[in-house]
Amino acid sequence: MKHDARFQRDAQRRFSRFAPIAAAVFLLLGWPALPAVAAVSPGAAALLAPDVAPQLKLSPEQRQQIQAILRATAKKFNETQQRKAGSPGLKAELDRIRQAGQDEAVALLTPEQKRIWSALAGRDSATPAAAAGKRVPTREDEMAARSLIIPSIQQMKNPPSPDAYGPTTGIRRTRPQVPRGTGYAVLTDYTDATALAALERLAEFRHGTVVTTPSLGDLHESPDEFARLADKLRALSLRFIAIAPRPESYRENMHLCMVKLLSSLEAAPGLDVFPGYLIANDPATLTALIERTIAFKPMTRDQLKPVSIGTIEDNGITRYRSYQKAKVLQKMFAEQGNESPAVIIVTNPALTARADFPKVGEAAGEIAMMPAGARESFRSFSEPALQALQTNNILFMFGHGLPDRLCGTEVSAFAQVDFSNELVFCGSCMSASPVQADRVDLENHVTTKRFGSLAVENGAVMVLAHMGLCGGFPEVYPMAEHVLEGLPVGEAYQRVMNALIGNRRLPDYYSEPASRQNNPNDPANHLLLILWADPALVALGSN
């Protein structure tokens, strides 16, 4: 109990130290202010809250002066917090600093503005927030509000403090790792003549070779075959390896075994080649995938047609994080000169009544799909959303995922979408989950079409997805960044995977499927990010 209380005090202390500083930074850079309920809280930021400043009709000069007060207050607050940490009465002194900043800002107002401020702040009440009829914001509200900030990628890479932009805004750092050589190989357990012919054609196109093994699905239980393959792959001195498992071999333990195999070729930790998976439900689909891979030509930057999906479906600290990520990418592409629609899918009707709910669908290039009544997944896309999805060649997706639905939409709805030659970056859980799984019991979903499979059948040339619980943007963005820099997709994937592997020991295989999806003690889940594509594919060339 003492440990819990100390943890809570430390968390509160860290938050109170951050709040005024973050507010100052947000206002200086022109980002959205804290929630409207901040209007009745101590501090100069209250006068600049979005539901207060318009009523006060602040002049530009007043805004500049209040922002200067806010900066000075934040500095004093931080210095006092650090100098007197743990001292009795510190909280009261910090409150006085905030209140002094607010009083100084109020002194800049005209008599009429002061009258309006007094009415808004409920000065006659001992509990101003209650007097104003507003709910006191919680820590959850404050964190959710940060997801309504739409920073640039550069700002996300260099945030003023951790979680300054809300949950899941850290971008995983990657680094190059030189492969063993320059060769190309296809590793497969297919015996079907049609499938083998297609794989031989791809190997010939890439000036490589086909390596066969009896069962990729059982390889983790065959140490002798594992050792044989490791020796064979070392001898080939590879740069790329395309892994083509039969549908029944595609399982989490198969993937973990490949991670261990490809990390064993050199002494240094991490994948020693650039990998990718050729996944298809049948030989005909595999053949079609290989044919369009061979025919694929790198795009120029002005040919990019990106679109993003962001979902608003939670009712907690993460409620706007997926919306934010879609908007961040829309902003990034706009800065690069590419139009990029953002499809915002809202599944929770209760959220639309919140004071902090964003004005979805009003911004240029933003397409809203709003709930008609009860909370439920969409079974089809609206006509504007479908039009945006039909005309793009790069798709980013952020939202929750299960085998049968993701991003607030049933997987079957994506059957309408033409994915021809498309690059798909999916940040949803279980978007590439196996039919027969090792991680979690999916017996009730054996007939469910997985999103990754549907995208490939409908023409996708690359799908980045997840077999388990996905970390979302922090994993997906670095992969996309490297692909858009012109790296082969396998090299981009290797860099992200090596960042996930780090210097840790590779985890054990799953012994049996768990009964529940969310296992916080699952050490292997973070490695279940998976690339479905020919690893040598280059998506972006030079203009």
Side-chain angles (χ1 to χ4, degrees), residues 190 192 194-195 198 280-292 457:
Y190 270 106
D192 176 86
T194 300
N281 285 335
D282 54 67
T285 303
L286 179 66
T287 300
L289 169 63
I290 288 173
E291 288 303 318
R292 64 177 174 272
E457 289 176 7

Side-chain angles (χ1 to χ4, degrees), residues 28 87 102 120 164 188 193 212 229 254 260 282 319 338 344 371 399 411 428 462 464 522 540:
L28 281 170
S87 301
Q102 187 177 95
L120 291 172
T188 187
T212 61
L229 285 177
M254 181 277 301
K260 293 185 178 187
D282 54 67
R319 58 183 174 264
N338 293 104
I344 308 302
V411 167
S428 297
M462 189 216 84
L464 179 74
D522 180 356
L540 192 70

Side-chain angles (χ1 to χ4, degrees), residues 353-533:
R354 294 188 64 97
D356 61 359
F357 188 77
K359 296 179 180 179
V360 175
E362 294 187 11
E366 194 172 284
I367 301 165
M369 286 177 53
M370 305 295 289
R375 181 175 183 176
E376 60 182 18
S377 299
F378 285 91
R379 296 182 179 179
S380 61
F381 288 102
S382 68
E383 199 56 42
L386 185 59
Q387 179 65 23
L389 295 173
Q390 294 285 37
T391 56
N392 72 297
N393 50 29
I394 301 181
L395 172 62
F396 294 89
M397 305 171 67
F398 302 103
H400 291 312
L402 290 169
D404 60 344
R405 58 187 183 275
L406 71 168
C407 294
T409 309
E410 294 185 8
V411 167
S412 58
F414 287 89
Q416 309 170 71
V417 179
D418 181 3
F419 285 93
S420 295
N421 288 328
E422 191 162 330
L423 310 175
V424 180
F425 298 88
C426 185
S428 297
C429 298
M430 305 190 76
S431 45
S433 61
V435 173
Q436 298 292 336
D438 298 312
R439 186 186 70 88
V440 66
D441 186 356
L442 296 179
E443 184 177 346
N444 294 331
H445 294 282
V446 292
T447 60
T448 301
K449 177 73 71 174
R450 303 305 195 254
F451 170 77
S453 296
L454 192 153
V456 169
E457 289 176 7
N458 282 16
V461 73
M462 189 216 84
V463 178
L464 179 74
H466 210 282
M467 303 176 84
L469 305 179
C470 185
F473 188 87
E475 299 173 0
V476 171
Y477 177 75
M479 171 76 185
E481 181 177 53
H482 292 320
V483 169
L484 295 176
E485 289 170 345
L487 294 184
V489 297
E491 182 174 0
Y493 177 66
Q494 181 234 30
R495 291 191 185 187
V496 176
M497 284 297 292
N498 283 351
L500 294 170
I501 292 169
N503 293 316
R504 290 175 290 185
R505 183 183 73 86
L506 292 175
D508 295 332
Y509 299 113
Y510 292 100
S511 57
E512 60 182 14
S515 59
R516 298 181 60 187
Q517 175 189 348
N518 189 10
N519 179 7
N521 299 317
D522 180 356
N525 178 80
H526 72 288
L527 297 182
L528 298 181
L529 183 72
I530 193 162
L531 171 67
W532 291 13

Side-chain angles (χ1 to χ4, degrees), residues 283-347:
T285 303
L286 179 66
T287 300
L289 169 63
I290 288 173
E291 288 303 318
R292 64 177 174 272
T293 296
I294 291 173
F296 184 86
K297 303 297 182 185
M299 295 176 283
T300 57
R301 187 161 294 278
D302 58 0
Q303 291 175 323
L304 297 181
K305 296 179 181 179
V307 64
S308 301
I309 296 176
T311 318
I312 302 179
E313 50 195 331
D314 290 324
N315 193 20
I317 196 170
T318 60
R319 58 183 174 264
Y320 302 131
R321 64 175 179 175
S322 297
Y323 161 82
Q324 178 195 49
K325 306 313 183 296
K327 296 294 291 180
V328 163
L329 288 172
Q330 186 182 47
K331 179 177 182 176
M332 180 192 79
F333 283 113
E335 292 172 347
Q336 297 173 358
N338 293 104
E339 292 186 5
S340 176
V343 178
I344 308 302
I345 299 174
V346 184
T347 64

